[in-house]
Amino acid sequence: MFPIHRPRRLRNSASLRRMVQENVLTTNDLIYPLFAVPGESVAKEVRSMPGVYQLSVDKIVDEAKEVYDLGIPAIILFGIPETKDIEATGAWHDCGMIQKAATAVKEAVPDLVVIADTCLCEYTSHGHCGYLEVGDLTGRVLNDPTLELLKKTAVSQAKAGADIIAPSGMMDGFVQAIRGALDEAGFEDIPILSYAAKYASAYYGPFRDAAESSPQFGDRRTYQMDPANSREAIKEIDLDVAEGADMLMVKPALAYMDVIWQVKQASNLPVAAYNVSGEYSMVKAAALNDWIDERRVVMETLTSFKRAGADLILTYHAKDAARWLQA
Ligand code: PBG
Ligand code: ZN
């Protein structure tokens, strides 16, 4: 029997293909991560992330203008402090790096949405995402004392001008704790983008170069999720929704497309996918060797996140993608 159905009919021309295209990537979907370091006129390329830089606040402002001019609606800020300590002072201090960068960016580019990453790992002497007693080498972060530090961090970031708070430490009760603290401080209109399903992933390797946030002992498996689990992701999502999250994130993205899809089905909140550092660096390494067509691989990957259900994509490719979308 000769085929009645010939799906190729709808692939006959570029215009036809355009008509039946189901998912579209736009610049509106993109969020660009930036790393703020102390100093002035500092732009230090991250060894494992070609094209990504640690930037002093003045350079962050230049970058923010460029990002805004490209039509990208938002940045997410990470901070690398001058000094680290057991209480993660640099995270919640009003003169912390995220705070300084947020204030400067909001003054220079008021319409650019500034998202503050809320965690302690860049600021603790041991590199874990929470509070540990002095001398504790187990890496088993103390949950509730950590929340107290994170509440101060979120409020101080909002005070500095951050438009969105993004809790990323995978502490239990994180969203509820900072929602309460923000409300109490008069920031009831500041939304929370929760890193709701964040896995203990090897794909974060290059980020830890960029953020200088590698744990000095142990690993993050007592707080980040086991990559083998997806039902547990829904449990995390349900909790964060109940605790008041406004948006949800899945991280990493590429190896977790099924999780993005399930989170999208399980909630009615906007879903963000974090196309993490290791995913970026693999593409960059292959592209620099001329092994792949960088532009096509990046656009295919970002479009696939949309297909999987992501509404927003945090990606180090954001500026390139925005340029390619214009062309
Ligand atoms: C930790 C944090 C991580 C990333 C952002 N915040 C991961 C980690 O070190 O455990 C990873 C981002 C990336 O890899 O691009 N709070
Ligand atoms: Zn952390």
Side-chain angles (χ1 to χ4, degrees), residues 119-122 128-129 168-169 198 220:
C119 198
L120 304 184
C121 48
E122 294 94 338
H128 277 288
C129 297
S168 72
K198 177 172 176 184
R220 302 209 203 289

Side-chain angles (χ1 to χ4, degrees), residues 79-99:
I80 297 105
E82 195 97 56
T83 56
K84 304 178 188 242
D85 58 37
I86 196 86
E87 304 238 83
T89 307
W92 45 264
H93 201 279
D94 286 341
C95 296
M97 289 314 305
I98 289 187
Q99 288 81 351

Side-chain angles (χ1 to χ4, degrees), residues 53-162:
Y53 297 80
Q54 295 180 330
L55 301 170
S56 51
V57 170
D58 54 317
K59 295 282 186 182
I60 292 252
V61 168
D62 295 345
E63 194 75 1
K65 288 180 187 151
E66 194 184 327
V67 166
Y68 182 74
D69 288 340
L70 283 167
I72 298 168
I75 57 170
I76 181 162
L77 290 172
F78 298 93
I80 297 105
E82 195 97 56
T83 56
K84 304 178 188 242
D85 58 37
I86 196 86
E87 304 238 83
T89 307
W92 45 264
H93 201 279
D94 286 341
C95 296
M97 289 314 305
I98 289 187
Q99 288 81 351
K100 282 202 244 182
T103 304
V105 169
K106 287 312 289 185
E107 194 184 304
V109 203
D111 290 338
L112 183 68
V113 172
V114 171
I115 306 173
D117 178 86
T118 308
C119 198
L120 304 184
C121 48
E122 294 94 338
Y123 313 93
T124 50
S125 33
H126 44 66
H128 277 288
C129 297
Y131 184 73
L132 286 172
E133 265 160 40
V134 187
D136 182 344
L137 297 179
T138 64
R140 206 160 301 154
V141 164
L142 299 175
N143 197 86
D144 299 7
T146 299
L147 293 181
E148 294 309 311
L149 298 174
L150 290 167
K151 281 166 30 180
K152 290 204 282 185
T153 304
V155 170
S156 145
Q157 292 169 335
K159 260 202 309 194

Side-chain angles (χ1 to χ4, degrees), residues 206-223:
F207 172 91
R208 293 179 189 173
D209 285 341
E212 300 175 11
S213 61
S214 284
Q216 300 303 301
F217 48 84
D219 54 42
R220 302 209 203 289
R221 283 175 230 231
T222 67
Y223 38 104

Side-chain angles (χ1 to χ4, degrees), residues 8-20:
R8 290 182 53 196
R9 287 176 192 133
L10 296 183
R11 297 176 201 142
N12 269 335
S13 70
S15 294
L16 251 173
R17 291 193 292 272
R18 200 146 57 90
M19 290 166 68
V20 298

